[in-house]
Amino acid sequence: MSTVPVGALLGAAPAHIAAVGVPDFADVPRTAGADVTALDWRPPASGEPDLAWKLAELTAHARVEAANAEAVSRLLAVRPVWRDVVTAREALPVLDDRASGRRVLLHAGPPLGWDRMCGPMRAGVVGAALLEGWADTPEAAGRLADSGAIDFEPCHHHDTVGPMGGVVSPSMPLLVVEDPATGRRAYSNLNEGAGRCLRYGALGDDVLDRLRWMGGILAPALRSALRARPDGVDLRAVTAQALQMGDECHSRNTAASMLLLHELAASLARTENGPEVIGFLAGNHYWFLNFSMAAAKLSTSAAAGVPHSTLVTAFARNGVEVGIRVSGLGDAWFTAPATRIRGMYFAGYGPDDANPDIGDSAIAETYGLGGFSLAAAPAITGFVGGTVEEAVRISRDMARITLTRHEAYRLPLLGGIGAPVGIDLRAVLDTGIVPVITTGISHREPGIGQIGAGLTHAPLECFHKALQAFPVPATSVAATGVPAVDVSA
Amino acid sequence: MSTVPVGALLGAAPAHIAAVGVPDFADVPRTAGADVTALDWRPPASGEPDLAWKLAELTAHARVEAANAEAVSRLLAVRPVWRDVVTAREALPVLDDRASGRRVLLHAGPPLGWDRMCGPMRAGVVGAALLEGWADTPEAAGRLADSGAIDFEPCHHHDTVGPMGGVVSPSMPLLVVEDPATGRRAYSNLNEGAGRCLRYGALGDDVLDRLRWMGGILAPALRSALRARPDGVDLRAVTAQALQMGDECHSRNTAASMLLLHELAASLARTENGPEVIGFLAGNHYWFLNFSMAAAKLSTSAAAGVPHSTLVTAFARNGVEVGIRVSGLGDAWFTAPATRIRGMYFAGYGPDDANPDIGDSAIAETYGLGGFSLAAAPAITGFVGGTVEEAVRISRDMARITLTRHEAYRLPLLGGIGAPVGIDLRAVLDTGIVPVITTGISHREPGIGQIGAGLTHAPLECFHKALQAFPVPATSVAATGVPAVDVSA
């Protein structure tokens, strides 16, 4: 086959070509000298005809639109306030081991049993068993888990979120975030800081000693300091300010952690172990992460269970599988294998050492933070050798798959426009754009801990499965032009 | 005169015109339909022939270039470290009233006497006299100043800088910034916070009570906490980090103030009045300003007195006049009338209430911060209804009048390039671009205080006068191609 110059085909006028589809479509005429604009377009629903038809039926569907408007307004109406610090067994009936006599642990992501858990999550279980005194050695803790004597439940099933392994045991302190208007609550564990942490699957006396100190010293000091703040601490205000200070409140929490400490520093200084506690908090740049996650959980779960709503209320990863939940599909998980992370590694480690994507922290992205607010934190793109421009592009892309923008969370690099919030299942499948997540990287073997950080995404397969399960509401209502806003049925 | 279409003059080809000079040059052909690029160019030295010739003689002059390289390297070599808090009479011989029996006050900007002082600076003098017990009422303090019983000296003449009125009296605490390599020191007073402050010319029991508390409680607590830090606090590290967090370290110090408090919070919590002091610092978003200024003073004064160097070592304003100092011109001030500020005003106030530009804080700009690092703090441009793009443009413009970029102070919006630092007298006059300053606005009447914030600039007249005074070194050295780097002569 001989190559005919594009100019010759089209005559003397310069050729301006818009190419849609696979990159080759643009490359061929470009090589031939044409001026080609490659459109970033993929066929809806990855080109699967049945799904694409279903997507078309749900698009601009009056009942879906009304349901999404309701779900989004519920999400945005939540005002997350830090109210308290309590032990997990006080907060969550499922962990009330003294009443039930059961040994239960929570973990990150969709449900899975001990037999399928990845290395860092198993390390979290072993560490928690040692902390609770259920075993005396890591080996004994492993045998206990092998024997089936520990039950496992996802954090997400109990209004709780935990970063990385996300293992929560009865004696661990939880932070309590509350929506004052409704009294609804969500929980997260307390952040251990950087370095060797149980959430990354590190094990050792240093890790356990810190967890005991957090339960025995840190938690009571925080409780005491919070008593001086009967209205609690407004986490929306802290988040909004931190977005002006280089944080995206998932993988960068430097400003938010300082702002949160500032709210309580004077009160903490009055407590018995004030200097020690202030010293720990001043050195923990990730301190706010778990608050960001609990605030996100509280807000997105307010949007859950709205019939016909295509809003994504959760994205969570257990290190083996990742899964999403969709408002109109209730508590069901739609899962896919956990993805690899494009990241930077600590010296001596590389991609072969990395566990696949893990942790509940991607709840931040369902709330408009993390990857969705990446333009607020261009420093994070350094994780993957990226630039300011890439951070801005990702935040702009995320706005193509969300239902609205957050009125309080504004992105300074985008002229103060709100963070894109409320992932729409339909928009993800229509555009083929997947949610971008900023995340840490655990070593795949138990006992080692964090080895890097980077960017990952929610795989399209989760969204395909959710669309397959999504019922198309009767269209008669839309035909009348008067949408029924009965979302309670 | 009839208008001839530009196209008709030039024939059928589309006209592309580059216009240089006054805006009309571009507007006329643009109105006629031509595609006009207006170059941002002004004639050197404002088109004054004698100055322009002198500027040409100094341009690419080997001895000037060598002197500037030396001055800039001295500036960049300084590592500002917060070492101590002492009273002004302990730090500065001129204020040692107990030894001298004299009543001396320092003030911002170039020298001026009581008779010429503006309202807010007079209020600062009155407040200081009350604080020192030199008078019992504001009226008596005013009469004391009228009588000539108080001597006035610029802060800048005593290694000191003070924001706004900049009045420093013997009992006031000063922060001490030191360069460990040389032992050189610079000083500033402590920042009172927002609202009604003496530095803005507010007067009242609230203002004086706070100053007394700062001397009696705050300063001893800081001294005590610093004792736990024998190496002091590295202000370069704090500044570098704050630039990544939305501060330009002149008019926005939110992140830097938090970072600085974090360095000492645990130690402060151990001091007698820890909770009270931490509460004050946590609520003071301007706390770092005076540290930024002292660090800038220490660094720029290291570059002072290099013969033949055109580096600007100070820009300071006393509310009546503004002035610059130039390295090769020693301690001389080159002044112009104080400019008005383009700003936003608090409710109830407007430009007619504003005092002209005042304060030593523009030392930040001579150190590459403030307006020069505006791209780090686009929020500041909101003061004048500006945008992210304007902030970036200003930082880029400032790089056209500076000798280098700061290796540690990096601007995230500009891809991490260093802040432009080292204002070159020649470049200002060659381009007509004047240094942009971010600043607060005082009410012109004494006793009221801050009424807004905005942007201002160093007027060209100061630079004209400095160029007039600048000696052109013998050119023989340059002709040999071997520049003499003897800058000690």
Side-chain angles (χ1 to χ4, degrees), chain A residues 241 244-247 252 254-255 257-259 261-262 265-266 269-270 274-276 278-279 281-283 285 378-379 388 412-415, chain B residues 241 244-247 252 254-255 257-259 261-262 265-266 269-270 274-276 278-279 281-283 378-379 388-389 412-415:
Chain A
Q241 172 75 320
Q244 310 303 311
M245 299 175 70
D247 286 359
R252 184 170 164 111
T254 307
S257 299
M258 292 201 304
L259 288 162
L261 171 53
H262 267 56
R270 289 189 183 91
E276 196 183 338
I278 289 174
L281 297 180
H285 299 309
V388 175
L413 252 70
L414 296 179
Chain B
Q241 172 75 323
Q244 309 304 310
M245 298 175 70
D247 285 359
R252 184 169 163 111
T254 308
S257 300
M258 291 202 304
L259 288 161
L261 171 52
H262 266 56
R270 288 188 183 92
E276 197 182 340
I278 289 174
L281 297 180
V388 175
E389 287 71 27
L413 253 70
L414 295 179

Side-chain angles (χ1 to χ4, degrees), chain B residues 38-326:
Chain B
L39 281 183
D40 180 20
W41 183 88
R42 277 148 288 214
S46 309
E48 295 184 26
D50 289 353
L51 280 180
W53 277 117
K54 189 166 193 179
L55 190 57
E57 288 183 280
L58 290 172
T59 298
H61 189 297
R63 290 184 75 176
V64 176
E65 299 297 334
N68 282 344
E70 172 67 17
V72 150
S73 90
R74 289 186 191 178
L75 186 154
L76 293 177
V78 175
R79 189 172 189 99
V81 170
W82 178 24
R83 261 290 155 64
D84 207 349
V85 172
V86 297
T87 63
R89 69 164 58 86
E90 290 170 317
L92 306 176
V94 69
L95 290 185
D96 188 0
D97 51 333
R98 290 169 185 169
S100 70
R102 291 171 65 209
R103 289 180 178 132
V104 181
L105 295 177
L106 306 187
H107 64 80
L112 91 171
W114 168 254
D115 55 322
R116 294 183 61 217
M117 282 182 189
C118 64
M121 189 176 280
R122 283 187 164 222
V125 168
V126 166
L130 294 171
L131 184 72
E132 298 299 327
W134 296 345
D136 290 332
T137 65
E139 296 70 27
R143 284 194 300 273
L144 189 75
D146 284 337
S147 76
I150 304 176
D151 292 339
F152 296 97
E153 299 251 356
C155 293
H156 265 289
H157 292 190
H158 301 279
D159 301 315
T160 302
V161 275
M164 304 310 291
V167 174
V168 175
S169 65
S171 74
M172 287 184 186
L174 297 183
L175 62 93
V176 182
V177 175
E178 185 178 289
D179 180 17
T182 61
R184 290 181 56 258
R185 293 183 156 205
Y187 309 91
S188 181
N189 49 3
L190 301 183
N191 191 282
E192 305 158 83
R196 289 176 38 75
C197 297
L198 192 72
R199 72 178 186 278
Y200 277 108
L203 277 176
D205 287 344
D206 53 337
V207 174
L208 288 172
D209 285 348
R210 192 200 292 116
L211 289 173
R212 290 190 190 101
W213 178 85
M214 289 170 72
I217 303 289
L218 176 63
L222 292 170
R223 252 196 311 273
S224 166
L226 275 170
R227 256 184 242 129
R229 299 282 299 248
D231 292 335
V233 178
D234 181 349
L235 298 179
R236 188 163 67 173
V238 172
T239 304
Q241 172 75 323
L243 289 173
Q244 309 304 310
M245 298 175 70
D247 285 359
E248 38 69 271
C249 297
H250 179 175
S251 286
R252 184 169 163 111
N253 293 281
T254 308
S257 300
M258 291 202 304
L259 288 161
L260 195 58
L261 171 52
H262 266 56
E263 293 284 334
L264 286 193
S267 303
L268 280 172
R270 288 188 183 92
T271 67
E272 194 184 352
N273 299 290
E276 197 182 340
V277 165
I278 289 174
F280 172 79
L281 297 180
N284 185 349
H285 299 309
Y286 272 84
W287 176 241
F288 187 74
L289 168 62
N290 302 46
F291 293 85
S292 185
M293 290 170 59
K297 175 65 183 164
L298 185 70
S299 303
T300 53
S301 65
V306 178
H308 314 311
S309 169
T310 54
L311 183 139
V312 175
T313 56
F315 172 59
R317 314 94 92 198
N318 60 34
V320 176
E321 283 178 339
V322 302
I324 64 168
R325 283 172 150 180
V326 176

